[in-house]
Every structure is written in C-alpha cells, then in structure tokens.
Amino acid sequence: MQNHQNTFITSFFSTRICWRDSTFFYQPYLQLFWQTHFLNHTTNFFLTIPVEIRIGALNISKNLLLWINDGLMAIFFFFGRLGVKTRVD
C-alpha cells in the first residue's frame, strides 16, 4: 500500500511541475502568435476601455490597463507584507 501512495505522489507532483514549466515555455510563443495575428488590435481595444468608480463627489477614472496594474501591485505588496509579518513574528 505504501508503494502505491509513493508512486501516486511522485507522479502527481512530477506532472504538475512539467505542466507548469511547459506553460512558461510556450507562453512567449503564444504571445508572439497573438501579436502577429490579425486580431492583435483586440488587445489594445480591451486595455483602453475606460473604467470609472464614482462614490458621491469622488470620481476615479482610468483605463483598464491602469486598473490591472494597480490591482496586481496591491496584491503583490499585500502578500509581500504578509510574508514579512510571518518572518518577524
């Protein structure tokens, strides 16, 4: 029974690592294909969509690219702060 569990765990993690590595390997090629494809203008269309939030007199208006960048930075610094907090405590 122990041998079957070890085989399953080994094969599960090795396939997950291979799948992850292959996505990182193929991503630049997919990006290059998308940018040279005839639908490459859709990227700029979606990233320049205006998005705004209004709460009373407060009005925040940015395009979608800026919202994505700000959101990713907030997530990065939030999790970075959690990592520092756990190491200090």
Side-chain angles (χ1 to χ4, degrees):
M1 183 66 175
Q2 186 69 21
N3 190 19
H4 294 296
Q5 289 175 345
N6 289 340
T7 305
F8 171 75
I9 291 171
T10 305
S11 65
F12 175 76
F13 285 113
S14 65
T15 55
R16 298 288 288 178
I17 290 171
C18 292
W19 178 82
R20 185 190 70 200
D21 292 341
S22 67
T23 10
F24 288 134
F25 178 74
Y26 290 118
Q27 192 273 335
Y29 299 110
L30 292 173
Q31 183 71 22
L32 182 64
F33 172 75
W34 184 260
Q35 291 301 320
T36 58
H37 199 262
F38 67 95
L39 291 175
N40 66 350
H41 66 278
T42 57
T43 305
N44 289 333
F45 172 74
F46 284 115
L47 292 179
T48 57
I49 293 175
V51 179
E52 68 179 63
I53 295 177
R54 292 184 189 179
I55 302 174
L58 178 66
N59 184 11
I60 303 173
S61 179
K62 299 179 181 181
N63 60 15
L64 188 59
L65 177 65
L66 294 175
W67 283 107
I68 292 171
N69 286 342
D70 290 347
L72 290 175
M73 282 192 299
I75 291 170
F76 172 76
F77 286 116
F78 176 73
F79 284 115
R81 176 65 181 124
L82 286 178
V84 169
K85 184 178 180 182
T86 56
R87 289 186 184 139
V88 171
D89 289 343

